Amino acid sequence: MGLERLIFFSDAVFAIAITLLALEIRLPAPEGNLTNDGLIAALLGLWPKYLGYGISFLVIGFVWVGHHRKFRYIRDIDSNLLILNLLLLMAIAFIPFPAAVLSEYGNRTATIFYALVMAITGLFSTVLWLYASGHERLTGTNLDVRHRRKETWRTLIMSVIFLFSIALAFLNDDLAKTSWGLIFFTAYLLR
């Protein structure tokens, strides 16, 4: 029952974090009634919020898919795994805030803040996997070394790309944000 409870709780946190992302998208309070053209302009003016929502939804979704994949191999839990999982969930639950900051400001500071939170989230996921799979601690012997290594890279690549984007942000924050597309490309390649 312990492993099942951990997975159900984790799924709930992922779902709530994704839901909170959508709640950040709100029209600014209009001055009077909006005409059709005014409403269209207001909806189109929210494109940074749509973009922040989309990127964050996909990143949370990829982390959830990775979490799901890892827990197909994790056969047992201990208190250290519970704590590592809580740290990962803490980072996931926090993502709506940097997503809102990025959507609202979109400048270098917002870009770096967002990328840093995402990199930390990926690192928590990597540490969880390394702990669980290290020395077959919680995975058992059914996992070969090649697969264990591939899963480590799948988990780590997100952090590497977001950390790289922080360096890019000092040159150009739009270029840094564009580099995040590498996450989706590499996720496809490492599936």
Side-chain angles (χ1 to χ4, degrees), residues 72-111:
R72 283 192 316 213
Y73 298 105
I74 295 173
R75 302 284 179 232
D76 200 5
I77 62 171
D78 64 12
S79 59
N80 291 329
L81 182 73
L82 289 173
I83 290 168
L84 291 171
N85 195 64
L86 276 176
L87 290 172
L88 172 61
L89 296 178
M90 178 180 68
I92 291 294
F94 187 66
I95 288 174
F97 177 66
V101 171
L102 181 68
S103 297
E104 187 67 31
Y105 299 100
N107 59 20
R108 179 178 31 177
T109 300
T111 302

Side-chain angles (χ1 to χ4, degrees), residues 5-26:
R5 288 188 67 203
L6 180 143
I7 293 168
F8 289 148
F9 177 68
S10 299
D11 286 348
V13 171
F14 279 100
I16 290 167
I18 282 177
T19 302
L20 290 175
L21 289 172
L23 295 178
E24 284 298 321
I25 303 173
R26 282 182 241 115

Side-chain angles (χ1 to χ4, degrees), residues 157-176:
I157 197 71
M158 183 178 96
S159 293
V160 169
I161 291 169
F162 276 115
L163 289 171
F164 173 70
S165 79
I166 290 172
L168 283 178
F170 286 100
L171 300 173
N172 182 312
D173 56 285
D174 289 331
L175 181 61

Side-chain angles (χ1 to χ4, degrees), residues 8 11 23 37 42 62 137 176-177 184:
F8 289 148
D11 286 348
L23 295 178
D37 291 341
F62 285 150
R137 182 178 293 112
K177 288 179 252 191
F184 310 116

Side-chain angles (χ1 to χ4, degrees), residues 140-158:
T141 57
N142 62 335
L143 190 59
D144 64 42
V145 173
R146 188 177 57 81
H147 187 82
R148 190 181 319 262
R149 224 178 269 133
K150 184 177 181 180
E151 188 61 37
T152 301
W153 277 109
R154 281 178 174 157
T155 306
L156 189 58
I157 197 71
M158 183 178 96

Side-chain angles (χ1 to χ4, degrees), residues 123-137:
L123 290 174
F124 281 148
S125 184
T126 302
V127 170
L128 181 146
W129 175 248
L130 290 174
Y131 175 77
S133 67
H135 306 292
E136 300 170 341
R137 182 178 293 112

